[in-house]
Amino acid sequence: MQPGLTERIATVVQLSPPANALEFKGTWYSWKDVSSTMAQLESLLLSAGQKQGAPIGVLLRNRPAHVACVMQLLSSRRCVVSINPFQSPEKVAADIKKLNLPVLVADTDDWAQPAIQQAAAETGAALFQISQQETLSVEAINGHQQPTGQNHHEPLPDTCILMLTSGTTGPAKRIKLPYKSFAISLMGVPGHYSSHNEQDEVALKSTPAVLTTPLVHIGGMYAAMAAITSARPIVILEKFSVDEMRRTLQAYQPKLVALPPTAIRMIYDADVPKEDLSCLLAIRMGSAPMPSDLHESFEAKYGVPLLDSYGATEFAGAVAGWTIQDHRKFGSTKRGSVGRVQPGVEMRIVDPDSGEELSHSTPGLLEVKTSQIGHSDWTRTTDLAEIDEDGFLYIRGRSDDAIIRGGFKIIPADVVTILRKHEAIKYACVVGIPDQRLGAVPVAAIQLQPGFSDINLDDLKLYLREHLTSYQIPVAFKILPEMPRTPSMKISKHDVTQLFLNERAQ
């Protein structure tokens, strides 16, 4: 029988207790340290009356004690309820009140926020504090060892994570991620599409994985737990920085890392020496589209393949992606694709209205069928896409992004592509806002390239008229010092929209 997620975690932590498990800011914590922290949390949860299926809120930061706590919650078949600590304290407090969980786990830094303290106390949750200094620790806050509130969130016995979506196009939602789906995504189906199978002997790996994506995002959670279930130690980057990435590459020589396009841009712009990346066979990327000019320039400069992928929180990870073999054969001719469907997954493109399957290279709505979801039905996404004759998937935008301006449909990605080709523009985001006469109109936020302090908007509009039809041209522009971003480093379209709406309301 294929070992489950809970059994795999329990096996890994006992393989070699003194060995290095988690590195954070140059300090290593052993598997024994991790196991001790897991045991501390288990004792506190049992004392608080929390059994299998109990929903436990965790303000997830990229820190070793947080990883250890997630490991224990999953190995004991409780439910991790992810809470985003990168919001303002007031928004975190509102989230805590809305969830009304029986237990909340947070770092000492987060409990230092009065708004978070007050909201947690009002819910009557048991409150646990985690930290990482010389050792990892988790302890109950005095006076809050037991839940005392009423009508706490119901148990979720089959859900491993109540996971936040990325929140790119609107406020982040929570999706129930079943234990079975996450286990299949991490460890595969025996004999089908994963190197894991029931005969595998799990052994500790020597080269660590590098965690660069926030744990609160499915990409970070997947990366961390994929490393744990394959018995690989992890170097944890609390927040991506070029200097920390260079240190990690030089110290541990990993062959593969996963980075969002924003981090790849930071490395390129910092002019990191080629030899600093010489250990890498490839860089996996995802979470946001990669501009084709950056893709080509990065690979030409460093000689490291950039392997894009496609997935979603609903799918418990990636369902399509590039392999090194595909990159060698098709890298120059399939630029812009997110790769081919993974084994065990089916994809098709359908007409949004009729549902009829469309032919190769015809744009439509993407539908996915995968065992990672836990059922055999087709799942319709909101992604506009096409699949070519070789099976390569191209994401062309989102159907729910489309702006209908006086009956004309505008795909924001088309406008962003043209904006980013302007020499002065580094990043751009186009969204629709309501208009009484036309229904909706496009507006654009832009971030300028280094060396440009301003841009003439009249000249910019003339440039756009050379490349776009008149109805595609944004009616308003905002020049921002930095684009608002989600925890997964995507540009937050929701926040950009609010900037324009708030200005209108003033």
Side-chain angles (χ1 to χ4, degrees):
M1 180 179 176
Q2 172 76 353
L5 179 59
T6 57
E7 294 85 358
R8 178 60 65 88
I9 293 172
T11 297
V12 168
V13 295
Q14 296 302 322
L15 288 175
S16 180
N20 288 336
L22 305 175
E23 193 252 50
F24 184 65
K25 297 183 178 180
T27 299
W28 275 103
Y29 299 92
S30 69
W31 292 104
K32 181 179 179 181
D33 296 328
V34 172
S35 180
S36 175
T37 305
M38 293 169 65
Q40 292 173 31
L41 178 60
E42 179 65 17
S43 176
L44 292 172
L45 289 169
L46 290 176
S47 296
Q50 303 305 302
K51 302 177 181 178
Q52 283 191 10
I56 310 298
V58 187
L59 273 73
L60 286 169
R61 294 186 178 274
N62 279 27
R63 296 178 180 179
H66 297 66
V67 173
C69 286
V70 170
M71 290 170 63
Q72 180 55 33
L73 294 176
L74 296 182
S75 69
S76 62
R77 289 193 69 87
R78 295 183 177 92
C79 174
V80 179
V81 181
S82 61
I83 300 175
N84 180 7
F86 305 109
Q87 309 172 91
S88 68
E90 291 72 25
K91 287 187 176 181
V92 174
D95 211 10
I96 286 172
K97 292 179 183 179
K98 183 177 180 180
L99 286 165
N100 196 27
L101 299 164
V103 175
L104 291 167
V105 182
D107 197 89
T108 51
D109 291 345
D110 294 310
W111 286 130
Q113 297 292 334
I116 295 176
Q117 286 183 29
Q118 182 177 347
E122 287 178 11
T123 66
L127 308 181
F128 301 161
Q129 178 172 273
I130 52 179
S131 63
Q132 43 277 305
Q133 301 298 328
E134 293 184 4
T135 60
L136 307 179
S137 70
V138 53
E139 57 186 5
I141 295 176
N142 286 337
H144 299 281
Q145 293 91 337
Q146 303 283 335
T148 58
Q150 301 295 320
N151 302 314
H152 282 139
H153 199 295
E154 73 274 12
L156 299 168
D158 298 318
T159 302
C160 64
I161 309 169
L162 196 57
M163 195 79 211
L164 282 166
T165 59
S166 61
T168 306
T169 58
K173 304 178 292 292
R174 284 186 171 81
I175 292 176
K176 294 179 181 179
L177 190 57
Y179 266 95
K180 181 179 179 181
S181 298
F182 199 41
I184 290 173
S185 179
L186 290 171
M187 299 187 290
V189 177
H192 187 44
Y193 63 90
S194 173
S195 60
H196 296 292
N197 61 56
E198 55 199 84
Q199 284 81 37
D200 276 351
E201 180 180 349
V202 183
L204 284 181
K205 312 301 188 296
S206 57
T207 304
V210 184
L211 180 62
T212 62
T213 309
L215 272 174
V216 75
H217 180 258
I218 184 62
M221 182 65 72
Y222 180 89
M225 292 304 108
I228 296 298
T229 55
S230 62
R232 188 175 296 279
I234 308 174
V235 177
I236 302 171
L237 273 62
E238 182 166 26
K239 182 180 181 181
F240 180 84
S241 74
V242 173
D243 288 344
E244 185 69 0
M245 194 68 201
R246 291 179 68 183
R247 179 193 73 82
T248 300
L249 295 177
Q250 292 167 5
Y252 303 113
Q253 300 287 294
K255 292 180 170 55
L256 181 71
V257 296
L259 297 172
T262 304
I264 293 171
R265 165 69 74 180
M266 292 169 66
I267 292 172
Y268 185 82
D269 288 347
D271 199 23
V272 172
K274 182 177 179 179
E275 55 267 24
D276 284 7
L277 275 63
S278 61
C279 62
L280 296 174
L281 296 178
I283 295 174
R284 290 206 172 276
M285 60 182 189
S287 83
M290 165 65 81
S292 59
D293 57 342
L294 175 60
H295 196 145
E296 294 174 11
S297 298
F298 188 95
E299 290 190 343
K301 181 175 182 176
Y302 293 106
V304 179
L306 297 177
L307 307 180
D308 207 349
S309 61
Y310 170 81
T313 306
E314 296 88 332
F315 302 138
V319 288
W322 281 87
T323 64
I324 291 180
Q325 292 78 10
D326 275 348
H327 187 274
R328 289 171 182 158
K329 186 175 181 180
F330 298 103
S332 61
T333 59
K334 306 288 186 180
R335 189 76 71 189
S337 169
V338 294
R340 292 201 270 198
V341 63
Q342 292 182 354
V345 179
E346 297 178 62
M347 291 184 179
R348 67 184 184 186
I349 306 298
V350 301
D351 182 275
D353 298 319
S354 68
E356 178 183 354
E357 186 170 358
L358 301 174
S359 58
H360 291 310
S361 301
T362 303
L365 278 179
L366 174 65
E367 292 190 342
V368 178
K369 183 189 290 187
T370 170
S371 56
Q372 292 173 199
I373 298 177
H375 59 74
S376 59
D377 299 329
W378 287 99
T379 297
R380 178 170 291 191
T381 72
T382 57
D383 290 310
L384 298 170
E386 57 187 88
I387 299 173
D388 71 12
E389 65 278 3
D390 294 313
F392 282 87
L393 174 66
Y394 295 79
I395 303 299
R396 300 306 190 192
R398 292 175 63 102
S399 61
D400 52 1
D401 279 353
I403 303 164
I404 308 301
R405 180 180 185 176
F408 294 97
K409 179 182 284 189
I410 303 167
I411 303 301
D414 295 341
V415 185
V416 167
T417 297
I418 299 302
L419 282 167
R420 290 201 67 259
K421 288 181 178 179
H422 191 285
E423 64 175 359
I425 295 176
K426 184 173 184 178
Y427 298 116
C429 178
V430 175
V431 297
I433 60 173
D435 182 84
Q436 188 172 6
R437 184 173 66 90
L438 297 172
V441 291
V443 292
I446 56 177
Q447 179 180 330
L448 300 180
Q449 293 278 13
F452 288 86
S453 59
D454 200 1
I455 186 172
N456 186 294
L457 294 182
D458 289 333
D459 290 344
L460 178 59
K461 291 175 183 178
L462 286 174
Y463 162 79
L464 292 175
R465 288 191 186 102
E466 294 175 1
H467 301 279
L468 299 170
T469 55
S470 59
Y471 64 80
Q472 291 178 296
I473 297 173
V475 302
F477 296 85
K478 278 187 176 297
I479 301 173
L480 304 178
E482 293 285 341
M483 285 291 187
R485 294 187 179 273
T486 69
S488 58
M489 299 179 76
K490 297 180 184 180
I491 293 174
S492 174
K493 297 175 185 176
H494 173 67
D495 287 347
V496 169
T497 303
Q498 291 304 308
L499 286 174
F500 284 95
L501 294 179
N502 291 342
E503 183 180 77
R504 174 188 284 183
Q506 291 175 358

